[in-house]
Amino acid sequence: GRRIFIGGGLLLLLLCLAPAALAAGQLYVTGSGYEYTADVLTIKDGAKVTIANAAGVASATDTIFVEKDAGAEIALAGVAIDVSGTAGAAAFKIADDSTGNVVVHLAGKNVLKSGENCAGLQKSGSADDVGTLTIDGPGRLEAEGGAYGAGIGGGYRSDGRDIAITGGEVQA
């Protein structure tokens, strides 16, 4: 008699139907509009993502970067990034002078610690058309810049502007 094995095909079908999620690094990401390579989670224009630390990762050293002029909705849902020991490293950075509007929704406790010359959540720009960063939600954010960097805003000798905190508990 012949044996027919369909288990592998069923598994493949289930994998194809699973929602987009990636935990290839220290962060777990769901949603669309991102790329995760070389320890950097890059957020692209039109992105809608939820980010948390991957299972078993208490404090990540992978970072979040929002591309120049990208508008995005980002939920931080239990993110702890600490790159405070690396000068010039920002835990979460929006490209300098970006015109994109970025909304960060807070869920749970989130911690962003950056290195020297960088803000914890860095949004530098002085142009008139710079986009707005809006922080909201019921969660908590602790943002700590390195030496010469703000908690939220500009890095070393950089302006931070068009930042609105409309919800959440924020310590910066």
Side-chain angles (χ1 to χ4, degrees), residues 37-129:
T37 57
D39 304 327
V40 177
L41 172 62
T42 302
I43 307 298
K44 305 204 172 268
D45 189 36
K48 291 185 180 187
V49 297
T50 299
I51 307 167
N53 277 29
V57 178
S59 184
T61 55
D62 289 3
T63 59
I64 301 167
F65 176 73
V66 180
E67 286 185 331
K68 185 162 176 55
D69 305 329
E73 287 187 42
I74 303 165
L76 298 181
V79 170
I81 298 173
D82 186 347
V83 290
S84 60
T86 305
F92 184 130
K93 180 178 180 176
I94 298 169
D96 294 345
D97 292 313
S98 180
T99 60
N101 295 317
V102 176
V103 178
V104 174
H105 303 288
L106 303 175
K109 181 180 177 184
N110 301 281
V111 178
L112 302 171
K113 294 182 180 181
S114 293
E116 184 175 344
N117 298 325
C118 295
L121 196 169
Q122 186 162 314
K123 183 192 177 298
S124 297
S126 58
D128 289 336
D129 64 346

Side-chain angles (χ1 to χ4, degrees), residues 8 13 29 77 89 97 104 125 130 137-138 147 151 170:
L13 177 63
V29 188
D97 292 313
V104 174
V130 72
V170 177

